[in-house]
Amino acid sequence: MKTLGIVGAGTMGAGIAHVASSAGIGVILYDPSAAALEKAMRRIEADLQKGAEKKLYDQPHVGKSLSRITPKSSYEDFAPCELVIEAAIEDLAVKREIFTNLERVCAPGTLIASNTSSLSITSMASRLNIPERFAGIHFFNPVHVMKLVEVVAGHRTSPATVERASAFARLMGKTPVSVRDTPGFIVNRVARPFYGEALRLLGEGVATVEEIDRIVKHEGGFRMGPFELMDLIGIDVNFAVTQSVYEQTFGEPRFRPHPIQRKMVEAGLLGRKTQRGFYDYPE
């Protein structure tokens, strides 16, 4: 693969661009917001510099990786891409509009994929002219650290598309796992009770945020507690995924969102990206 397209310069889009450029792939990073593109490039450079400081690679690698990323604000720039990954917000209508624009400019052989963490791949592909070339390629945050990638086949995704998507993940040093198109796929399905029970314990006054995280880490052996992890992912993102899984499973009580999540999103307390969530993160 020579050229990868990415729609969305947020946390996940920037992370995918970082890893792809480090693997020697040219990246077209699209976002309608110039500010978002500038912020993404600063973040990618900072993360690459951290890798050089840790001796994961030499300093020239940083410059070469950055030079492979081209920020763009027009869909027409995706024409030469062999794969385009959508990494926008978890909103089905927004994603469908993106895919309509991509089909307009991409060649018939171009793979189109979504980095969605919960929405139905089958539903997203239902209005495409060539649904066989569409799949889910779900990375995890932080992308340059997490090795797993869920490759999700929708009802009409072809086996060749699944193989090409898996080969792309391996090219970037990731471990792909083939997943059925089910609400939350594997990881987010398993994770819902992890967050949900922690929120219920907090809401019932059983224990504090710090106590729950400390017990999970020190007694359970987890690297991060549920509240630390929600802050890292983004409380708004976590809430949206929980809502999506709950709705797609027709109101399964195990996946019901908690009012604490909604209140924090409404207050703008989204975790690390806003410097305040369940914990404070000074600049």
Side-chain angles (χ1 to χ4, degrees):
M1 180 174 293
K2 294 181 179 179
T3 309
L4 167 70
I6 301 171
V7 180
T11 299
M12 296 306 295
I16 297 168
H18 169 179
V19 175
S21 64
S22 290
I25 300 170
V27 177
I28 303 296
L29 180 59
Y30 165 89
D31 200 287
S33 168
L37 288 169
E38 291 174 9
K39 183 178 179 180
M41 294 303 294
R42 289 196 301 269
R43 174 174 182 161
I44 294 167
E45 182 175 10
D47 286 340
L48 284 166
Q49 289 290 0
K50 288 178 184 177
E53 291 166 7
K54 293 178 180 179
K55 308 298 182 183
L56 300 177
Y57 37 74
D58 57 24
Q59 190 62 39
H61 176 87
V62 176
K64 290 179 181 177
S65 296
L66 287 171
S67 70
R68 296 187 185 105
I69 304 173
T70 306
K72 292 289 185 179
S73 57
S74 171
Y75 279 101
E76 274 65 30
D77 293 299
F78 288 127
C81 296
E82 294 133 288
L83 165 64
V84 182
I85 300 175
E86 167 273 317
I89 61 173
E90 288 289 275
D91 185 301
L92 184 59
V94 171
K95 291 179 186 294
R96 280 177 168 167
E97 182 179 355
I98 289 170
F99 301 136
T100 298
N101 285 319
L102 290 177
E103 277 210 315
R104 176 174 54 83
V105 299
C106 292
T110 300
L111 261 62
I112 298 176
S114 174
N115 183 61
T116 182
S117 53
S118 64
L119 296 177
S120 168
I121 299 302
T122 300
S123 180
M124 281 189 278
S126 63
R127 298 181 185 179
L128 296 180
N129 295 321
I130 314 175
E132 292 80 8
R133 65 167 168 177
F134 185 80
I137 303 180
H138 180 215
F139 293 84
F140 294 87
N141 184 35
V143 180
H144 64 287
V145 175
M146 305 299 284
K147 291 293 185 182
L148 183 69
V149 172
E150 292 177 320
V151 177
V152 189
H155 185 69
R156 296 180 64 182
T157 304
S158 73
T161 294
V162 172
E163 180 49 43
R164 286 177 66 188
S166 299
F168 163 71
R170 288 190 289 268
L171 179 63
M172 298 214 298
K174 303 301 183 183
T175 303
V177 57
S178 184
V179 181
R180 290 178 57 190
D181 186 17
T182 186
F185 314 133
I186 295 176
V187 174
N188 273 303
R189 175 81 170 269
V190 170
R192 289 313 99 198
F194 180 64
Y195 304 121
E197 286 303 321
L199 286 162
R200 279 187 277 275
L201 287 168
L202 177 65
E204 293 166 13
V206 175
T208 66
V209 165
E210 293 81 4
E211 288 170 337
I212 295 169
D213 277 353
R214 185 170 65 249
I215 289 168
V216 167
K217 288 192 295 183
H218 291 281
E219 302 304 325
F222 286 74
R223 291 184 63 182
M224 300 181 75
F227 297 103
E228 289 177 303
L229 194 50
M230 280 188 274
D231 274 0
L232 174 65
I233 293 167
I235 295 168
D236 55 336
V237 174
N238 190 277
F239 182 46
V241 172
T242 302
Q243 284 182 302
S244 176
V245 173
Y246 180 66
E247 291 167 2
Q248 289 185 75
T249 55
F250 302 101
E252 169 59 52
R254 291 177 296 161
F255 305 130
R256 181 182 294 118
H258 197 279
I260 290 175
Q261 292 172 296
R262 180 185 292 277
K263 289 180 181 178
M264 295 191 71
V265 171
E266 291 174 344
L269 305 176
L270 309 182
R272 289 180 178 270
K273 60 186 173 184
T274 59
Q275 281 74 60
R276 289 186 64 193
F278 290 106
Y279 298 93
D280 290 341
Y281 303 91
E283 286 282 4

PDB file of all heavy atoms in Angstrom, residues 140-176:
ATOM      1  N   PHE A 140      -7.670   0.932  18.442  1.00  0.00           N
ATOM      2  CA  PHE A 140      -7.912   1.303  19.832  1.00  0.00           C
ATOM      3  C   PHE A 140      -6.958   2.414  20.249  1.00  0.00           C
ATOM      4  O   PHE A 140      -5.848   2.527  19.737  1.00  0.00           O
ATOM      5  CB  PHE A 140      -7.762   0.084  20.744  1.00  0.00           C
ATOM      6  CG  PHE A 140      -8.814  -0.965  20.489  1.00  0.00           C
ATOM      7  CD1 PHE A 140      -8.622  -1.934  19.518  1.00  0.00           C
ATOM      8  CD2 PHE A 140     -10.008  -0.944  21.178  1.00  0.00           C
ATOM      9  CE1 PHE A 140      -9.596  -2.883  19.246  1.00  0.00           C
ATOM     10  CE2 PHE A 140     -10.994  -1.889  20.922  1.00  0.00           C
ATOM     11  CZ  PHE A 140     -10.785  -2.858  19.961  1.00  0.00           C
ATOM     12  N   ASN A 141      -7.405   3.220  21.190  1.00  0.00           N
ATOM     13  CA  ASN A 141      -6.654   4.386  21.651  1.00  0.00           C
ATOM     14  C   ASN A 141      -5.784   4.053  22.865  1.00  0.00           C
ATOM     15  O   ASN A 141      -6.274   3.421  23.800  1.00  0.00           O
ATOM     16  CB  ASN A 141      -7.655   5.495  22.025  1.00  0.00           C
ATOM     17  CG  ASN A 141      -6.995   6.788  22.426  1.00  0.00           C
ATOM     18  OD1 ASN A 141      -5.958   7.155  21.900  1.00  0.00           O
ATOM     19  ND2 ASN A 141      -7.598   7.485  23.367  1.00  0.00           N
ATOM     20  N   PRO A 142      -4.495   4.467  22.859  1.00  0.00           N
ATOM     21  CA  PRO A 142      -3.757   5.180  21.813  1.00  0.00           C
ATOM     22  C   PRO A 142      -3.297   4.219  20.708  1.00  0.00           C
ATOM     23  O   PRO A 142      -2.760   3.150  20.990  1.00  0.00           O
ATOM     24  CB  PRO A 142      -2.573   5.786  22.561  1.00  0.00           C
ATOM     25  CG  PRO A 142      -2.369   4.899  23.747  1.00  0.00           C
ATOM     26  CD  PRO A 142      -3.727   4.354  24.121  1.00  0.00           C
ATOM     27  N   VAL A 143      -3.497   4.633  19.467  1.00  0.00           N
ATOM     28  CA  VAL A 143      -3.280   3.743  18.324  1.00  0.00           C
ATOM     29  C   VAL A 143      -1.836   3.274  18.230  1.00  0.00           C
ATOM     30  O   VAL A 143      -1.567   2.118  17.880  1.00  0.00           O
ATOM     31  CB  VAL A 143      -3.690   4.452  17.009  1.00  0.00           C
ATOM     32  CG1 VAL A 143      -3.462   3.541  15.811  1.00  0.00           C
ATOM     33  CG2 VAL A 143      -5.151   4.873  17.076  1.00  0.00           C
ATOM     34  N   HIS A 144      -0.872   4.144  18.550  1.00  0.00           N
ATOM     35  CA  HIS A 144       0.531   3.761  18.406  1.00  0.00           C
ATOM     36  C   HIS A 144       0.993   2.795  19.501  1.00  0.00           C
ATOM     37  O   HIS A 144       2.086   2.238  19.416  1.00  0.00           O
ATOM     38  CB  HIS A 144       1.437   4.996  18.373  1.00  0.00           C
ATOM     39  CG  HIS A 144       1.445   5.794  19.641  1.00  0.00           C
ATOM     40  ND1 HIS A 144       0.386   6.587  20.022  1.00  0.00           N
ATOM     41  CD2 HIS A 144       2.374   5.929  20.622  1.00  0.00           C
ATOM     42  CE1 HIS A 144       0.672   7.181  21.167  1.00  0.00           C
ATOM     43  NE2 HIS A 144       1.865   6.794  21.554  1.00  0.00           N
ATOM     44  N   VAL A 145       0.137   2.573  20.495  1.00  0.00           N
ATOM     45  CA  VAL A 145       0.476   1.648  21.581  1.00  0.00           C
ATOM     46  C   VAL A 145      -0.309   0.337  21.480  1.00  0.00           C
ATOM     47  O   VAL A 145       0.256  -0.753  21.634  1.00  0.00           O
ATOM     48  CB  VAL A 145       0.209   2.309  22.951  1.00  0.00           C
ATOM     49  CG1 VAL A 145       0.439   1.301  24.086  1.00  0.00           C
ATOM     50  CG2 VAL A 145       1.094   3.535  23.140  1.00  0.00           C
ATOM     51  N   MET A 146      -1.597   0.440  21.207  1.00  0.00           N
ATOM     52  CA  MET A 146      -2.466  -0.736  21.224  1.00  0.00           C
ATOM     53  C   MET A 146      -2.278  -1.576  19.958  1.00  0.00           C
ATOM     54  O   MET A 146      -2.336  -1.056  18.847  1.00  0.00           O
ATOM     55  CB  MET A 146      -3.925  -0.303  21.353  1.00  0.00           C
ATOM     56  CG  MET A 146      -4.190   0.582  22.558  1.00  0.00           C
ATOM     57  SD  MET A 146      -3.820  -0.233  24.133  1.00  0.00           S
ATOM     58  CE  MET A 146      -5.233  -1.309  24.255  1.00  0.00           C
ATOM     59  N   LYS A 147      -2.090  -2.871  20.128  1.00  0.00           N
ATOM     60  CA  LYS A 147      -1.765  -3.756  19.008  1.00  0.00           C
ATOM     61  C   LYS A 147      -2.986  -4.342  18.301  1.00  0.00           C
ATOM     62  O   LYS A 147      -2.926  -4.671  17.120  1.00  0.00           O
ATOM     63  CB  LYS A 147      -0.890  -4.917  19.505  1.00  0.00           C
ATOM     64  CG  LYS A 147       0.513  -4.507  19.924  1.00  0.00           C
ATOM     65  CD  LYS A 147       1.324  -4.031  18.725  1.00  0.00           C
ATOM     66  CE  LYS A 147       2.762  -3.744  19.094  1.00  0.00           C
ATOM     67  NZ  LYS A 147       3.526  -3.232  17.923  1.00  0.00           N
ATOM     68  N   LEU A 148      -4.093  -4.479  19.014  1.00  0.00           N
ATOM     69  CA  LEU A 148      -5.257  -5.152  18.439  1.00  0.00           C
ATOM     70  C   LEU A 148      -5.998  -4.264  17.452  1.00  0.00           C
ATOM     71  O   LEU A 148      -6.155  -3.057  17.669  1.00  0.00           O
ATOM     72  CB  LEU A 148      -6.205  -5.580  19.550  1.00  0.00           C
ATOM     73  CG  LEU A 148      -7.452  -6.362  19.118  1.00  0.00           C
ATOM     74  CD1 LEU A 148      -7.056  -7.740  18.603  1.00  0.00           C
ATOM     75  CD2 LEU A 148      -8.450  -6.474  20.262  1.00  0.00           C
ATOM     76  N   VAL A 149      -6.478  -4.868  16.366  1.00  0.00           N
ATOM     77  CA  VAL A 149      -7.370  -4.205  15.416  1.00  0.00           C
ATOM     78  C   VAL A 149      -8.511  -5.177  15.101  1.00  0.00           C
ATOM     79  O   VAL A 149      -8.264  -6.316  14.701  1.00  0.00           O
ATOM     80  CB  VAL A 149      -6.640  -3.825  14.105  1.00  0.00           C
ATOM     81  CG1 VAL A 149      -7.642  -3.316  13.069  1.00  0.00           C
ATOM     82  CG2 VAL A 149      -5.580  -2.770  14.368  1.00  0.00           C
ATOM     83  N   GLU A 150      -9.747  -4.724  15.299  1.00  0.00           N
ATOM     84  CA  GLU A 150     -10.910  -5.539  14.950  1.00  0.00           C
ATOM     85  C   GLU A 150     -11.276  -5.281  13.488  1.00  0.00           C
ATOM     86  O   GLU A 150     -11.544  -4.136  13.111  1.00  0.00           O
ATOM     87  CB  GLU A 150     -12.096  -5.201  15.856  1.00  0.00           C
ATOM     88  CG  GLU A 150     -11.904  -5.624  17.307  1.00  0.00           C
ATOM     89  CD  GLU A 150     -13.063  -5.207  18.188  1.00  0.00           C
ATOM     90  OE1 GLU A 150     -13.589  -4.085  18.018  1.00  0.00           O
ATOM     91  OE2 GLU A 150     -13.439  -5.999  19.070  1.00  0.00           O
ATOM     92  N   VAL A 151     -11.276  -6.326  12.676  1.00  0.00           N
ATOM     93  CA  VAL A 151     -11.679  -6.230  11.274  1.00  0.00           C
ATOM     94  C   VAL A 151     -13.094  -6.797  11.191  1.00  0.00           C
ATOM     95  O   VAL A 151     -13.306  -7.991  11.403  1.00  0.00           O
ATOM     96  CB  VAL A 151     -10.719  -6.990  10.344  1.00  0.00           C
ATOM     97  CG1 VAL A 151     -11.215  -6.930   8.903  1.00  0.00           C
ATOM     98  CG2 VAL A 151      -9.315  -6.407  10.446  1.00  0.00           C
ATOM     99  N   VAL A 152     -14.062  -5.922  10.895  1.00  0.00           N
ATOM    100  CA  VAL A 152     -15.468  -6.290  11.006  1.00  0.00           C
ATOM    101  C   VAL A 152     -16.101  -6.421   9.621  1.00  0.00           C
ATOM    102  O   VAL A 152     -16.057  -5.483   8.815  1.00  0.00           O
ATOM    103  CB  VAL A 152     -16.247  -5.244  11.823  1.00  0.00           C
ATOM    104  CG1 VAL A 152     -17.655  -5.754  12.121  1.00  0.00           C
ATOM    105  CG2 VAL A 152     -15.518  -4.900  13.111  1.00  0.00           C
ATOM    106  N   ALA A 153     -16.671  -7.578   9.347  1.00  0.00           N
ATOM    107  CA  ALA A 153     -17.339  -7.825   8.072  1.00  0.00           C
ATOM    108  C   ALA A 153     -18.833  -7.603   8.214  1.00  0.00           C
ATOM    109  O   ALA A 153     -19.485  -8.189   9.086  1.00  0.00           O
ATOM    110  CB  ALA A 153     -17.065  -9.245   7.608  1.00  0.00           C
ATOM    111  N   GLY A 154     -19.385  -6.730   7.353  1.00  0.00           N
ATOM    112  CA  GLY A 154     -20.823  -6.555   7.300  1.00  0.00           C
ATOM    113  C   GLY A 154     -21.463  -7.681   6.511  1.00  0.00           C
ATOM    114  O   GLY A 154     -20.774  -8.601   6.031  1.00  0.00           O
ATOM    115  N   HIS A 155     -22.778  -7.621   6.350  1.00  0.00           N
ATOM    116  CA  HIS A 155     -23.518  -8.701   5.683  1.00  0.00           C
ATOM    117  C   HIS A 155     -23.040  -8.923   4.250  1.00  0.00           C
ATOM    118  O   HIS A 155     -23.029 -10.057   3.769  1.00  0.00           O
ATOM    119  CB  HIS A 155     -25.016  -8.386   5.702  1.00  0.00           C
ATOM    120  CG  HIS A 155     -25.865  -9.480   5.147  1.00  0.00           C
ATOM    121  ND1 HIS A 155     -26.029 -10.704   5.786  1.00  0.00           N
ATOM    122  CD2 HIS A 155     -26.608  -9.557   4.000  1.00  0.00           C
ATOM    123  CE1 HIS A 155     -26.820 -11.470   5.061  1.00  0.00           C
ATOM    124  NE2 HIS A 155     -27.192 -10.803   3.977  1.00  0.00           N
ATOM    125  N   ARG A 156     -22.608  -7.846   3.559  1.00  0.00           N
ATOM    126  CA  ARG A 156     -22.214  -7.967   2.162  1.00  0.00           C
ATOM    127  C   ARG A 156     -20.718  -7.724   1.940  1.00  0.00           C
ATOM    128  O   ARG A 156     -20.266  -7.651   0.800  1.00  0.00           O
ATOM    129  CB  ARG A 156     -23.050  -7.001   1.307  1.00  0.00           C
ATOM    130  CG  ARG A 156     -24.532  -7.340   1.323  1.00  0.00           C
ATOM    131  CD  ARG A 156     -25.340  -6.384   0.472  1.00  0.00           C
ATOM    132  NE  ARG A 156     -24.984  -6.461  -0.952  1.00  0.00           N
ATOM    133  CZ  ARG A 156     -25.521  -5.693  -1.888  1.00  0.00           C
ATOM    134  NH1 ARG A 156     -26.417  -4.778  -1.555  1.00  0.00           N
ATOM    135  NH2 ARG A 156     -25.163  -5.822  -3.153  1.00  0.00           N
ATOM    136  N   THR A 157     -19.939  -7.618   3.011  1.00  0.00           N
ATOM    137  CA  THR A 157     -18.491  -7.449   2.862  1.00  0.00           C
ATOM    138  C   THR A 157     -17.890  -8.709   2.259  1.00  0.00           C
ATOM    139  O   THR A 157     -18.161  -9.825   2.722  1.00  0.00           O
ATOM    140  CB  THR A 157     -17.826  -7.173   4.224  1.00  0.00           C
ATOM    141  OG1 THR A 157     -18.443  -6.037   4.829  1.00  0.00           O
ATOM    142  CG2 THR A 157     -16.333  -6.919   4.068  1.00  0.00           C
ATOM    143  N   SER A 158     -17.054  -8.554   1.246  1.00  0.00           N
ATOM    144  CA  SER A 158     -16.468  -9.721   0.582  1.00  0.00           C
ATOM    145  C   SER A 158     -15.296 -10.277   1.392  1.00  0.00           C
ATOM    146  O   SER A 158     -14.622  -9.535   2.114  1.00  0.00           O
ATOM    147  CB  SER A 158     -15.979  -9.348  -0.817  1.00  0.00           C
ATOM    148  OG  SER A 158     -14.810  -8.557  -0.740  1.00  0.00           O
ATOM    149  N   PRO A 159     -15.017 -11.591   1.284  1.00  0.00           N
ATOM    150  CA  PRO A 159     -13.844 -12.175   1.950  1.00  0.00           C
ATOM    151  C   PRO A 159     -12.546 -11.496   1.518  1.00  0.00           C
ATOM    152  O   PRO A 159     -11.618 -11.352   2.326  1.00  0.00           O
ATOM    153  CB  PRO A 159     -13.885 -13.637   1.505  1.00  0.00           C
ATOM    154  CG  PRO A 159     -15.328 -13.897   1.210  1.00  0.00           C
ATOM    155  CD  PRO A 159     -15.844 -12.624   0.620  1.00  0.00           C
ATOM    156  N   ALA A 160     -12.464 -11.078   0.252  1.00  0.00           N
ATOM    157  CA  ALA A 160     -11.256 -10.402  -0.233  1.00  0.00           C
ATOM    158  C   ALA A 160     -11.039  -9.083   0.500  1.00  0.00           C
ATOM    159  O   ALA A 160      -9.893  -8.712   0.810  1.00  0.00           O
ATOM    160  CB  ALA A 160     -11.359 -10.158  -1.734  1.00  0.00           C
ATOM    161  N   THR A 161     -12.121  -8.373   0.800  1.00  0.00           N
ATOM    162  CA  THR A 161     -12.006  -7.114   1.536  1.00  0.00           C
ATOM    163  C   THR A 161     -11.507  -7.356   2.953  1.00  0.00           C
ATOM    164  O   THR A 161     -10.651  -6.617   3.462  1.00  0.00           O
ATOM    165  CB  THR A 161     -13.370  -6.395   1.572  1.00  0.00           C
ATOM    166  OG1 THR A 161     -13.713  -6.001   0.240  1.00  0.00           O
ATOM    167  CG2 THR A 161     -13.334  -5.174   2.466  1.00  0.00           C
ATOM    168  N   VAL A 162     -12.014  -8.393   3.601  1.00  0.00           N
ATOM    169  CA  VAL A 162     -11.561  -8.742   4.952  1.00  0.00           C
ATOM    170  C   VAL A 162     -10.073  -9.063   4.942  1.00  0.00           C
ATOM    171  O   VAL A 162      -9.316  -8.612   5.817  1.00  0.00           O
ATOM    172  CB  VAL A 162     -12.364  -9.935   5.511  1.00  0.00           C
ATOM    173  CG1 VAL A 162     -11.763 -10.415   6.833  1.00  0.00           C
ATOM    174  CG2 VAL A 162     -13.821  -9.548   5.707  1.00  0.00           C
ATOM    175  N   GLU A 163      -9.624  -9.800   3.941  1.00  0.00           N
ATOM    176  CA  GLU A 163      -8.208 -10.173   3.864  1.00  0.00           C
ATOM    177  C   GLU A 163      -7.329  -8.951   3.605  1.00  0.00           C
ATOM    178  O   GLU A 163      -6.267  -8.801   4.206  1.00  0.00           O
ATOM    179  CB  GLU A 163      -7.991 -11.220   2.767  1.00  0.00           C
ATOM    180  CG  GLU A 163      -6.533 -11.659   2.614  1.00  0.00           C
ATOM    181  CD  GLU A 163      -5.875 -12.022   3.930  1.00  0.00           C
ATOM    182  OE1 GLU A 163      -6.504 -12.711   4.762  1.00  0.00           O
ATOM    183  OE2 GLU A 163      -4.718 -11.597   4.144  1.00  0.00           O
ATOM    184  N   ARG A 164      -7.776  -8.071   2.717  1.00  0.00           N
ATOM    185  CA  ARG A 164      -6.997  -6.863   2.434  1.00  0.00           C
ATOM    186  C   ARG A 164      -6.919  -5.957   3.664  1.00  0.00           C
ATOM    187  O   ARG A 164      -5.878  -5.378   3.961  1.00  0.00           O
ATOM    188  CB  ARG A 164      -7.609  -6.091   1.261  1.00  0.00           C
ATOM    189  CG  ARG A 164      -7.369  -6.737  -0.098  1.00  0.00           C
ATOM    190  CD  ARG A 164      -8.057  -5.960  -1.212  1.00  0.00           C
ATOM    191  NE  ARG A 164      -7.484  -4.623  -1.398  1.00  0.00           N
ATOM    192  CZ  ARG A 164      -8.007  -3.696  -2.190  1.00  0.00           C
ATOM    193  NH1 ARG A 164      -9.129  -3.953  -2.867  1.00  0.00           N
ATOM    194  NH2 ARG A 164      -7.435  -2.508  -2.314  1.00  0.00           N
ATOM    195  N   ALA A 165      -8.025  -5.843   4.385  1.00  0.00           N
ATOM    196  CA  ALA A 165      -8.038  -5.029   5.601  1.00  0.00           C
ATOM    197  C   ALA A 165      -7.123  -5.628   6.667  1.00  0.00           C
ATOM    198  O   ALA A 165      -6.398  -4.913   7.364  1.00  0.00           O
ATOM    199  CB  ALA A 165      -9.461  -4.906   6.137  1.00  0.00           C
ATOM    200  N   SER A 166      -7.128  -6.947   6.782  1.00  0.00           N
ATOM    201  CA  SER A 166      -6.267  -7.627   7.751  1.00  0.00           C
ATOM    202  C   SER A 166      -4.799  -7.465   7.376  1.00  0.00           C
ATOM    203  O   SER A 166      -3.932  -7.251   8.242  1.00  0.00           O
ATOM    204  CB  SER A 166      -6.630  -9.111   7.837  1.00  0.00           C
ATOM    205  OG  SER A 166      -7.963  -9.285   8.276  1.00  0.00           O
ATOM    206  N   ALA A 167      -4.506  -7.559   6.070  1.00  0.00           N
ATOM    207  CA  ALA A 167      -3.131  -7.385   5.599  1.00  0.00           C
ATOM    208  C   ALA A 167      -2.641  -5.971   5.892  1.00  0.00           C
ATOM    209  O   ALA A 167      -1.474  -5.762   6.260  1.00  0.00           O
ATOM    210  CB  ALA A 167      -3.052  -7.674   4.102  1.00  0.00           C
ATOM    211  N   PHE A 168      -3.518  -4.982   5.738  1.00  0.00           N
ATOM    212  CA  PHE A 168      -3.173  -3.597   6.051  1.00  0.00           C
ATOM    213  C   PHE A 168      -2.817  -3.463   7.530  1.00  0.00           C
ATOM    214  O   PHE A 168      -1.822  -2.812   7.896  1.00  0.00           O
ATOM    215  CB  PHE A 168      -4.341  -2.680   5.700  1.00  0.00           C
ATOM    216  CG  PHE A 168      -4.274  -1.322   6.333  1.00  0.00           C
ATOM    217  CD1 PHE A 168      -3.341  -0.390   5.904  1.00  0.00           C
ATOM    218  CD2 PHE A 168      -5.133  -0.985   7.366  1.00  0.00           C
ATOM    219  CE1 PHE A 168      -3.271   0.867   6.495  1.00  0.00           C
ATOM    220  CE2 PHE A 168      -5.070   0.269   7.957  1.00  0.00           C
ATOM    221  CZ  PHE A 168      -4.135   1.191   7.521  1.00  0.00           C
ATOM    222  N   ALA A 169      -3.612  -4.076   8.411  1.00  0.00           N
ATOM    223  CA  ALA A 169      -3.334  -4.011   9.847  1.00  0.00           C
ATOM    224  C   ALA A 169      -1.981  -4.640  10.169  1.00  0.00           C
ATOM    225  O   ALA A 169      -1.200  -4.093  10.959  1.00  0.00           O
ATOM    226  CB  ALA A 169      -4.449  -4.714  10.627  1.00  0.00           C
ATOM    227  N   ARG A 170      -1.693  -5.778   9.548  1.00  0.00           N
ATOM    228  CA  ARG A 170      -0.404  -6.432   9.785  1.00  0.00           C
ATOM    229  C   ARG A 170       0.754  -5.579   9.282  1.00  0.00           C
ATOM    230  O   ARG A 170       1.822  -5.541   9.904  1.00  0.00           O
ATOM    231  CB  ARG A 170      -0.388  -7.811   9.125  1.00  0.00           C
ATOM    232  CG  ARG A 170      -1.268  -8.847   9.832  1.00  0.00           C
ATOM    233  CD  ARG A 170      -1.024 -10.241   9.300  1.00  0.00           C
ATOM    234  NE  ARG A 170      -1.550 -10.398   7.955  1.00  0.00           N
ATOM    235  CZ  ARG A 170      -2.771 -10.849   7.670  1.00  0.00           C
ATOM    236  NH1 ARG A 170      -3.607 -11.162   8.651  1.00  0.00           N
ATOM    237  NH2 ARG A 170      -3.175 -10.972   6.414  1.00  0.00           N
ATOM    238  N   LEU A 171       0.545  -4.881   8.159  1.00  0.00           N
ATOM    239  CA  LEU A 171       1.568  -4.004   7.612  1.00  0.00           C
ATOM    240  C   LEU A 171       1.950  -2.905   8.607  1.00  0.00           C
ATOM    241  O   LEU A 171       3.093  -2.458   8.663  1.00  0.00           O
ATOM    242  CB  LEU A 171       1.065  -3.374   6.306  1.00  0.00           C
ATOM    243  CG  LEU A 171       1.993  -2.400   5.575  1.00  0.00           C
ATOM    244  CD1 LEU A 171       3.261  -3.112   5.111  1.00  0.00           C
ATOM    245  CD2 LEU A 171       1.274  -1.781   4.386  1.00  0.00           C
ATOM    246  N   MET A 172       0.990  -2.480   9.403  1.00  0.00           N
ATOM    247  CA  MET A 172       1.245  -1.443  10.393  1.00  0.00           C
ATOM    248  C   MET A 172       1.699  -2.015  11.740  1.00  0.00           C
ATOM    249  O   MET A 172       1.746  -1.294  12.739  1.00  0.00           O
ATOM    250  CB  MET A 172      -0.003  -0.588  10.578  1.00  0.00           C
ATOM    251  CG  MET A 172      -0.412   0.138   9.311  1.00  0.00           C
ATOM    252  SD  MET A 172      -1.145   1.760   9.618  1.00  0.00           S
ATOM    253  CE  MET A 172      -2.568   1.323  10.559  1.00  0.00           C
ATOM    254  N   GLY A 173       2.007  -3.303  11.775  1.00  0.00           N
ATOM    255  CA  GLY A 173       2.500  -3.916  12.999  1.00  0.00           C
ATOM    256  C   GLY A 173       1.410  -4.268  13.991  1.00  0.00           C
ATOM    257  O   GLY A 173       1.685  -4.501  15.173  1.00  0.00           O
ATOM    258  N   LYS A 174       0.164  -4.331  13.525  1.00  0.00           N
ATOM    259  CA  LYS A 174      -0.960  -4.642  14.405  1.00  0.00           C
ATOM    260  C   LYS A 174      -1.363  -6.113  14.294  1.00  0.00           C
ATOM    261  O   LYS A 174      -0.954  -6.819  13.374  1.00  0.00           O
ATOM    262  CB  LYS A 174      -2.163  -3.754  14.066  1.00  0.00           C
ATOM    263  CG  LYS A 174      -1.881  -2.260  14.145  1.00  0.00           C
ATOM    264  CD  LYS A 174      -1.419  -1.843  15.525  1.00  0.00           C
ATOM    265  CE  LYS A 174      -1.212  -0.344  15.616  1.00  0.00           C
ATOM    266  NZ  LYS A 174      -0.693   0.086  16.943  1.00  0.00           N
ATOM    267  N   THR A 175      -2.181  -6.540  15.241  1.00  0.00           N
ATOM    268  CA  THR A 175      -2.707  -7.908  15.244  1.00  0.00           C
ATOM    269  C   THR A 175      -4.189  -7.860  14.912  1.00  0.00           C
ATOM    270  O   THR A 175      -5.012  -7.472  15.757  1.00  0.00           O
ATOM    271  CB  THR A 175      -2.504  -8.569  16.616  1.00  0.00           C
ATOM    272  OG1 THR A 175      -1.119  -8.560  16.949  1.00  0.00           O
ATOM    273  CG2 THR A 175      -3.019 -10.009  16.597  1.00  0.00           C
ATOM    274  N   PRO A 176      -4.576  -8.215  13.673  1.00  0.00           N
ATOM    275  CA  PRO A 176      -5.995  -8.164  13.312  1.00  0.00           C
ATOM    276  C   PRO A 176      -6.751  -9.386  13.809  1.00  0.00           C
ATOM    277  O   PRO A 176      -6.221 -10.497  13.848  1.00  0.00           O
ATOM    278  CB  PRO A 176      -5.951  -8.139  11.782  1.00  0.00           C
ATOM    279  CG  PRO A 176      -4.708  -8.885  11.432  1.00  0.00           C
ATOM    280  CD  PRO A 176      -3.720  -8.595  12.533  1.00  0.00           C
TER     281      PRO A 176
END
